[in-house]
Amino acid sequence: MLINELLEELKNTKLIIKNDRLLLGLSGGSDSIALLFILKKLQTKIGFSLGLAHLNHALRGFASDKDERFVRKLAEKYQLPVFTKKVNIKEFAKEQRLSLEDGARRSRYDFFIDTANKNKFNKVALAHTQDDQVETVLLKLLRGSGLTGLCGMPQVRPLSENLKIIRPLLNLTKNELLTYCRENKLKWREDRSNQSSDFTRNRLRNKIIPLLKKINPGLNNTFIKMTTVLKEDDNFLTEKTVKLFKQVLQKRTPEGLRLDIKTLLKEPLTLQRRVVRYALELVQGDLTDVYLPFIDNFLENKLTTVKLGKNGKLHVSKEKL
Amino acid sequence: MLINELLEELKNTKLIIKNDRLLLGLSGGSDSIALLFILKKLQTKIGFSLGLAHLNHALRGFASDKDERFVRKLAEKYQLPVFTKKVNIKEFAKEQRLSLEDGARRSRYDFFIDTANKNKFNKVALAHTQDDQVETVLLKLLRGSGLTGLCGMPQVRPLSENLKIIRPLLNLTKNELLTYCRENKLKWREDRSNQSSDFTRNRLRNKIIPLLKKINPGLNNTFIKMTTVLKEDDNFLTEKTVKLFKQVLQKRTPEGLRLDIKTLLKEPLTLQRRVVRYALELVQGDLTDVYLPFIDNFLENKLTTVKLGKNGKLHVSKEKL
């Protein structure tokens, strides 16, 4: 896909519309720098406002601080509001019992969303590419995933009534963006951790995906087509899930909710599981610690009630609400 | 899983029942040799009859003929009926425009099914293992696949009212079967083509899967769990598809069928696609040459009629039936 096609598409799909307040997650790498300049081009066609957010991971010492300064200078040059924060990812990941990579991602998203909410941005734009999508699907697969995970990152993820995450570059490859940067003489920062094999994602990127591409050189397109088709299946199942959830929801209070488990158990297994997962997510706000055995235990023991315990953990039971 | 557990499971799940007439596809490798002796054990608990089928692929010259003689001798020793056939796979694959591996698989299945039908067997047992399943899912993924493909090989696949393919070893690893063969001092034939990197599957087996297992040593279990969950989704969608197909089927003759496309187009996209795919498979007998663009073309042009042309190819149109 060419950049001009992308600009056309962005105008047509209304991923970004007039008067949007867009917060761009800018690492300073070639992908996000390309997105910055693509958005600035789009701004001349659609009027929207733009801010930059950069999380300093402090993982690479001086280099991390240089990245931050690079982003600050860009913001100054183009007179864009900029938000930065320095986080000790190693400590955060240890605290949250996450891998370094998961910890980094979590704090990045937390920071972007928090900044957007505080400063009344209505969309967070992230520079994920087709290559990132392929890696994400493979990672999901490697770690075990249901259908939703295999669909990869969505182009639009609504977080609340006032905030969405959007990914305008999902149909472009890293190579296309690199070419764009070079042709337009844009400067970017190399992330050396991208090129090491320290992280699982980098191992996929540098070792495994090249081997897979020897078997299927069109791997990217194959994956994009696959996720599009799977997404249709997942959307249909989600629709059915929400409908059934409303049918079996007996009571909902600020403490939690209660399901008509008898009726639920008459439905196909996948809908049973999806309704319970949906209920758990609704009460907890996310799906932390929600795995299949937890869901199946709920169903097998014919539980009815989901509450948030005082420790902030999900509490499931047959208790009244 | 241990072999004794497997025997228990086979008794409980009724994968094999009394008076079954079982045709075992026997390559002579450790997997199928293990299955032969597991089945012989099971025979003492459940009364069923057993025959052997071996396709000589003639791909490895003398070694292929030795494999065939090995199977014949086993059959003689245990007084089991044996069916063998020699096929020039290279020619067959060229004719059918298939890769060598796809050609080999196709002729093997054709031979097993044909032999079973002619000799009144009601089940064909194949020795696919957990490792084969992981490879199959990865292959599907690499070549592009919908949800059904990502579910991998089913443990039971009904082919007609009188014949099923069953895979009793899908929950065991190759290693467990090898151990079983060694402990019971069984002899088997090494397939050297298993150890070469000539075929895509072998490249996965010998290069890529070991790398993936460095990231997730429990890859096999992760995949088995994933396929089980995806299967639930797929079953639900298939049920909805068959129901909708019956609703929109306007006419069916020996030549083909006609759909109420107007009604179909009101349904969610995934069901539209699945109903058309189902119709095409029903008319053609299989899904050869049925890809997503073919299906989407049917829907986009609001076609109604599926026939089998004189050239044996699918013919879709708005014609009357």
Side-chain angles (χ1 to χ4, degrees):
Chain A
M1 192 189 250
L2 295 167
I3 305 295
N4 285 334
E5 279 175 50
L6 173 68
L7 285 170
E8 258 327 289
E9 197 194 271
L10 288 177
K11 262 173 53 187
N12 294 335
T13 57
K14 304 195 172 167
L15 200 60
I16 299 167
I17 55 174
K18 210 182 160 179
N19 297 328
D20 266 345
R21 287 182 48 80
L22 217 65
L23 182 67
L24 168 61
L26 193 75
S27 71
S30 51
D31 301 344
S32 60
I33 289 296
L35 183 53
L36 170 60
F37 285 90
I38 289 167
L39 288 176
K40 280 175 52 60
K41 256 198 184 168
L42 191 65
Q43 250 186 336
T44 62
K45 302 188 184 191
I46 308 171
F48 58 87
S49 62
L50 188 59
L52 307 181
H54 174 86
L55 189 71
N56 184 338
H57 291 80
L59 279 174
R60 298 176 298 122
F62 285 132
S64 294
D65 293 334
K66 271 194 181 171
D67 290 349
E68 185 181 333
R69 275 203 300 279
F70 174 75
V71 169
R72 288 198 161 279
K73 274 192 188 165
L74 260 180
E76 206 177 309
K77 183 171 170 191
Y78 294 104
Q79 295 190 288
L80 297 170
V82 63
F83 307 86
T84 66
K85 187 182 170 185
K86 195 166 177 171
V87 175
N88 186 327
I89 297 289
K90 277 185 191 157
E91 260 176 37
F92 175 80
K94 214 174 169 182
E95 262 172 43
Q96 301 280 321
R97 291 185 194 168
L98 294 169
S99 70
L100 213 52
E101 193 180 24
D102 285 341
R105 185 172 43 248
R106 175 80 65 92
S107 25
R108 222 159 40 230
Y109 279 75
D110 284 355
F111 170 62
F112 293 158
I113 292 166
D114 203 43
T115 305
N117 282 326
K118 275 186 192 150
N119 299 281
K120 303 240 184 317
F121 289 95
N122 70 329
K123 285 174 187 165
V124 169
L126 301 177
H128 290 115
T129 63
Q130 202 180 73
D131 303 86
D132 296 318
Q133 182 73 303
V134 170
E135 289 164 19
T136 297
V137 172
L138 277 172
L139 273 173
K140 293 274 181 186
L141 197 86
L142 264 174
R143 290 172 176 174
S145 168
L147 182 57
T148 312
L150 294 182
C151 296
M153 298 176 279
Q155 188 149 47
V156 184
R157 185 193 297 276
L159 292 174
S160 68
E161 264 180 56
N162 304 315
L163 190 61
K164 286 187 177 98
I165 290 182
I166 63 169
R167 296 185 171 89
L169 303 184
L170 271 189
N171 291 322
L172 290 166
T173 65
K174 274 187 196 301
N175 236 333
E176 287 170 316
L177 294 167
L178 209 55
T179 306
Y180 177 79
C181 285
R182 284 190 185 131
E183 283 179 358
N184 292 276
K185 300 201 169 64
L186 308 176
K187 281 181 189 161
W188 68 90
R189 297 273 305 158
E190 291 293 350
D191 179 356
R192 258 177 251 132
S193 69
N194 263 337
Q195 279 152 28
S196 80
S197 285
D198 291 352
F199 299 120
T200 306
R201 187 180 282 267
N202 286 333
R203 209 175 294 165
L204 275 182
R205 181 179 303 166
N206 300 324
K207 284 194 176 165
I208 295 168
I209 291 176
L211 285 173
L212 296 177
K213 284 188 175 168
K214 273 192 189 167
I215 297 177
N216 177 3
L219 189 72
N220 274 21
N221 281 324
T222 301
F223 265 54
I224 299 306
K225 270 186 210 156
M226 181 183 76
T227 54
T228 312
V229 172
L230 292 180
K231 191 97 204 113
E232 290 298 332
D233 288 340
D234 197 51
N235 286 345
F236 176 71
L237 288 161
T238 303
E239 227 172 77
K240 293 276 162 200
T241 303
V242 175
K243 205 173 144 193
L244 181 59
F245 171 76
K246 285 177 184 162
Q247 271 174 43
V248 299
L249 180 66
Q250 278 184 334
K251 197 176 174 183
R252 194 169 166 192
T253 73
E255 280 78 49
L257 54 82
R258 188 182 160 86
L259 299 178
D260 172 2
I261 188 77
K262 255 189 158 176
T263 306
L264 182 59
L265 288 173
K266 287 177 193 154
E267 298 291 328
L269 180 57
T270 185
L271 286 189
Q272 292 179 29
R273 285 174 170 163
R274 282 170 178 263
V275 164
V276 173
R277 184 193 306 267
Y278 186 78
L280 296 171
E281 188 175 6
L282 218 56
V283 170
Q284 184 172 250
D286 59 38
L287 285 167
T288 308
D289 292 336
V290 173
Y291 298 104
L292 193 58
F294 190 77
I295 292 169
D296 282 350
N297 166 63
F298 189 98
L299 292 165
E300 275 156 28
N301 291 300
K302 298 181 187 176
L303 304 184
T304 53
T305 309
V306 185
K307 281 193 219 175
L308 209 56
K310 278 178 190 158
N311 55 2
K313 293 210 168 212
L314 282 168
H315 178 74
V316 291
S317 68
K318 289 186 185 182
E319 290 163 20
K320 281 195 181 166
L321 195 66
Chain B
M1 191 190 249
L2 295 166
I3 305 295
N4 285 334
E5 280 175 48
L6 173 69
L7 285 171
E8 259 327 289
E9 196 194 271
L10 287 178
K11 262 172 55 187
N12 294 334
T13 56
K14 305 198 170 164
L15 200 60
I16 299 166
I17 55 175
K18 210 180 160 181
N19 297 329
D20 266 346
R21 289 180 47 80
L22 216 65
L23 182 66
L24 169 61
L26 193 76
S27 71
S30 51
D31 300 343
S32 61
I33 289 296
L35 183 53
L36 170 61
F37 285 91
I38 289 167
L39 288 176
K40 280 174 52 60
K41 258 196 180 166
L42 190 66
Q43 251 186 336
T44 64
K45 304 189 182 188
I46 307 171
F48 60 87
S49 62
L50 188 59
L52 308 180
H54 175 85
L55 188 73
N56 184 336
H57 291 79
L59 279 174
R60 298 176 298 122
F62 285 132
S64 293
D65 293 335
K66 271 193 180 172
D67 290 348
E68 183 179 334
R69 276 203 300 279
F70 173 76
V71 169
R72 289 198 160 280
K73 274 190 185 163
L74 261 179
E76 206 177 309
K77 184 171 170 190
Y78 294 105
Q79 295 190 291
L80 296 170
V82 62
F83 306 85
T84 65
K85 186 182 171 185
K86 193 167 178 169
V87 175
N88 187 328
I89 297 289
K90 277 184 192 159
E91 259 177 38
F92 175 81
K94 214 173 167 184
E95 261 172 42
Q96 302 280 321
R97 292 184 192 168
L98 293 169
S99 69
L100 213 53
E101 194 179 25
D102 285 340
R105 183 171 47 247
R106 174 79 67 91
S107 26
R108 221 156 45 228
Y109 279 76
D110 283 355
F111 171 62
F112 294 157
I113 291 166
D114 202 45
T115 305
N117 282 326
K118 275 187 191 149
N119 299 280
K120 304 236 181 321
F121 289 95
N122 70 329
K123 285 174 187 165
V124 170
L126 301 178
H128 291 115
T129 64
Q130 204 179 73
D131 304 86
D132 295 319
Q133 182 73 305
V134 170
E135 289 163 19
T136 298
V137 173
L138 278 173
L139 273 173
K140 294 273 182 185
L141 197 83
L142 265 174
R143 290 172 176 175
S145 167
L147 182 57
T148 312
L150 294 181
C151 295
M153 298 176 280
Q155 188 148 48
V156 183
R157 185 194 297 274
L159 293 174
S160 68
E161 264 180 56
N162 305 314
L163 190 60
K164 286 185 178 100
I165 290 182
I166 63 168
R167 296 184 171 90
L169 303 183
L170 271 189
N171 292 322
L172 290 166
T173 64
K174 275 186 195 300
N175 236 335
E176 287 170 316
L177 294 167
L178 210 55
T179 307
Y180 177 80
C181 285
R182 283 188 185 131
E183 282 178 1
N184 292 278
K185 301 202 168 66
L186 308 176
K187 281 181 187 158
W188 68 90
R189 297 273 304 159
E190 292 291 352
D191 179 356
R192 257 177 251 133
S193 67
N194 264 338
Q195 280 152 27
S196 81
S197 284
D198 291 352
F199 299 121
T200 306
R201 186 180 284 267
N202 286 332
R203 210 177 293 168
L204 274 183
R205 182 179 303 167
N206 299 324
K207 285 196 177 165
I208 294 168
I209 291 175
L211 285 174
L212 296 177
K213 284 188 175 167
K214 275 193 189 167
I215 297 178
N216 177 5
L219 188 74
N220 274 20
N221 281 325
T222 301
F223 265 53
I224 299 306
K225 270 185 210 154
M226 180 184 77
T227 54
T228 312
V229 171
L230 292 181
K231 192 98 204 115
E232 290 298 332
D233 288 339
D234 197 51
N235 286 346
F236 175 71
L237 287 162
T238 303
E239 228 172 75
K240 293 277 163 200
T241 304
V242 175
K243 206 173 142 194
L244 180 58
F245 171 76
K246 284 177 185 162
Q247 271 174 43
V248 299
L249 180 65
Q250 279 184 333
K251 197 175 175 185
R252 192 167 167 194
T253 72
E255 281 80 48
L257 54 82
R258 189 183 160 86
L259 299 178
D260 172 1
I261 188 76
K262 255 187 158 177
T263 306
L264 182 60
L265 287 174
K266 287 177 193 155
E267 298 291 327
L269 181 57
T270 185
L271 286 188
Q272 292 179 28
R273 285 174 170 161
R274 282 171 179 262
V275 164
V276 173
R277 185 192 306 268
Y278 186 79
L280 296 171
E281 187 175 9
L282 217 57
V283 171
Q284 184 172 247
D286 58 38
L287 284 166
T288 309
D289 292 335
V290 174
Y291 298 103
L292 192 58
F294 191 77
I295 292 170
D296 281 349
N297 166 63
F298 190 97
L299 292 165
E300 275 156 29
N301 292 298
K302 298 182 186 175
L303 304 185
T304 54
T305 309
V306 185
K307 282 193 215 175
L308 209 56
K310 277 176 189 160
N311 56 2
K313 295 213 167 207
L314 282 168
H315 179 74
V316 291
S317 67
K318 291 188 183 181
E319 290 163 21
K320 282 196 178 165
L321 196 65

